Amino acid sequence: MLQMIVLGIICGLLLGFVLQRGRFCVVGAYRDLLIAKDGRMFLATFIVIAIQSVGVYVLRDTGIIQFGNDGFPWLGTILGGFIFGIGMVLAGGCATGTWYRAGEGMIGSWVALFGYMLGAAMTKYGVWKATGDHLVSYRTSDTYIHETLNVSPWLLVIVLIIIVGILVIREFKKPKLPMFKMKPKKTGLAHILFEKRWHPFVTALLVGLIAIVAWPLSAMTGRMFGLGITTPSANILTFLITGDDALIDWGTFLVLGIFLGAFIAAKGSGEFRWRLPDMKTLRNNAFGGMIMGFGASIAGGCTIGNGLVNSALFAWQGWVAIVFFLLGTWVAAYFTIIRKQKSSSASKAA
């Protein structure tokens, strides 16, 4: 148990610190791609996938870890991914973003986090379990893309690295926009850790490395998977209600570590403060969090478990989920942001 606690907390602390300082949130990446036409953070998510894909297949080929082969739950992934995408926008953050923003003192994220934990627990263990089990029962026999194509996974790894590498080089060749820089108050390592603005690609590199390390750390405690947010979040709430300590594993301490790591980063950078949004936003946070928990549960993972981890394994579930995360995010962004902007512009023009 001590090993589980220490390894989970350490990995979570690192991840939470990096996520908070790098402002790495997947819903922001998806939303910015549509609204601001800014694809840097979206590309950063694929940097994480590419880096992790190299690491996990090296670990697999050396026998340190192994992957499951449970088929592709296509219906649950499609519906759950779309619902999760809508929930992300309403909740104001993805699953991991909600955890780290709660560590910054955002009350709306606390509300969204509780809704997320509740929705996931209800789907995995409660009144929505029958529905969730039915949806995920529709599955194909092939789990992985390379399995279907009958090629080595390393071929897909190489192709992904080349594509991501080309896009990163193109991004760096773009002219840099002038940025206002405040005079630094800290120096040395303190400046880098708590004050300097982190480039999205640097953050992605660090997240990718942490995602690789998560696999053997988790495997050492008997849990054969990498980063995961949904099941540990559901397990925390269910454990608090039932007292069933069988629900506590490495992933539980990972998510608690994310919260603590984000808190440390926010306090060190002076970004921690309690912030209470208006009642309408709180309502959206609660509802968004709950359907986000439901969606992630039937999709087999959130934007971390599916969008970064299963995609790095080249599982069909991960890549199809990304598509429907995007669609759900864009639909919700249209009705909550874009349509209001168009209506406001039309009113001013009139």
Side-chain angles (χ1 to χ4, degrees):
M1 175 63 80
L2 180 60
Q3 182 187 48
M4 181 191 300
I5 295 172
V6 172
L7 295 180
I9 289 288
I10 289 175
C11 190
L13 279 170
L14 291 172
L15 183 60
F17 189 95
V18 170
L19 291 173
Q20 198 283 329
R21 287 294 296 120
R23 313 306 303 170
F24 192 94
C25 183
V26 179
V27 67
Y30 292 179
R31 192 175 53 212
D32 290 349
L33 187 65
L34 173 66
I35 299 174
K37 309 302 180 185
D38 183 353
R40 287 185 306 162
M41 190 59 76
F42 185 67
L43 177 56
T45 65
F46 283 90
I47 294 174
V48 176
I49 296 170
I51 292 170
Q52 188 182 182
S53 68
V54 175
V56 293
Y57 276 103
V58 168
L59 291 171
R60 188 204 67 166
D61 290 350
T62 54
I64 297 174
I65 63 173
Q66 57 188 12
F67 307 151
N69 200 330
D70 301 324
F72 166 39
W74 59 272
L75 182 58
T77 302
I78 290 171
L79 289 177
F82 185 75
I83 292 170
F84 183 89
I86 294 173
M88 283 198 299
V89 176
L90 295 175
C94 61
T96 317
T98 302
W99 270 103
Y100 90 68
R101 283 177 175 152
E104 295 177 343
M106 296 183 69
I107 303 300
S109 293
W110 281 80
V111 172
L113 181 58
F114 178 77
Y116 173 65
M117 296 167 75
L118 180 61
M122 290 168 68
T123 309
K124 289 182 175 293
Y125 309 113
V127 294
W128 292 343
K129 187 178 188 303
T131 300
D133 289 348
H134 179 70
L135 291 172
V136 300
S137 67
Y138 294 89
R139 59 179 66 225
T140 64
S141 57
D142 288 353
T143 302
Y144 303 102
I145 297 172
H146 50 272
E147 181 183 10
T148 303
L149 300 178
N150 195 26
V151 299
S152 168
W154 282 105
L155 176 62
L156 300 182
V157 172
I158 292 170
V159 170
L160 179 62
I161 290 173
I162 291 173
I163 293 173
V164 170
I166 291 171
L167 293 174
V168 169
I169 292 171
R170 286 181 57 186
E171 188 64 38
F172 277 122
K173 286 184 176 179
K174 291 180 180 179
K176 295 182 179 180
L177 297 173
M179 293 178 59
F180 174 75
K181 294 184 178 180
M182 297 180 63
K183 185 177 179 180
K185 298 179 181 179
K186 297 179 175 65
T187 59
L189 186 60
H191 170 67
I192 295 172
L193 291 178
F194 296 108
E195 192 174 40
K196 182 179 175 64
R197 181 169 180 162
W198 292 14
H199 193 284
F201 297 170
V202 173
T203 304
L205 171 63
L206 295 174
V207 173
L209 294 175
I210 294 170
I212 294 171
V213 172
W215 277 90
L217 291 182
S218 177
M220 289 171 65
T221 67
R223 175 185 176 274
M224 191 58 70
F225 198 69
L227 299 176
I229 309 298
T230 303
T231 298
S233 299
N235 287 352
I236 290 173
L237 184 60
T238 308
F239 166 73
L240 292 174
I241 295 171
T242 66
D244 183 3
D245 57 9
L247 296 168
I248 303 301
D249 63 5
W250 182 89
T252 306
F253 297 103
L254 169 75
V255 294
L256 294 175
I258 292 172
F259 174 84
L260 292 173
F263 173 74
I264 292 169
K267 287 293 286 185
S269 61
E271 294 176 353
F272 179 88
R273 62 183 182 276
W274 295 109
R275 284 158 284 185
L276 178 64
D278 58 70
M279 291 304 298
K280 181 181 179 181
T281 301
L282 284 175
R283 181 197 64 198
N284 289 342
N285 292 155
F287 178 69
M290 185 171 291
I291 65 171
M292 191 165 64
F294 172 76
S297 297
I298 64 172
C302 64
T303 43
I304 297 295
N306 260 337
L308 296 184
V309 178
N310 280 328
S311 55
L313 305 181
F314 294 99
W316 281 110
Q317 183 175 324
W319 289 90
V320 172
I322 289 175
V323 172
F324 285 91
F325 288 156
L326 278 167
L327 289 175
T329 300
W330 289 353
V331 167
Y334 175 79
F335 285 103
T336 61
I337 301 173
I338 298 175
R339 193 171 69 166
K340 289 182 179 180
Q341 290 177 344
K342 288 182 178 180
S343 178
S344 177
S345 298
S347 299
K348 291 180 180 178

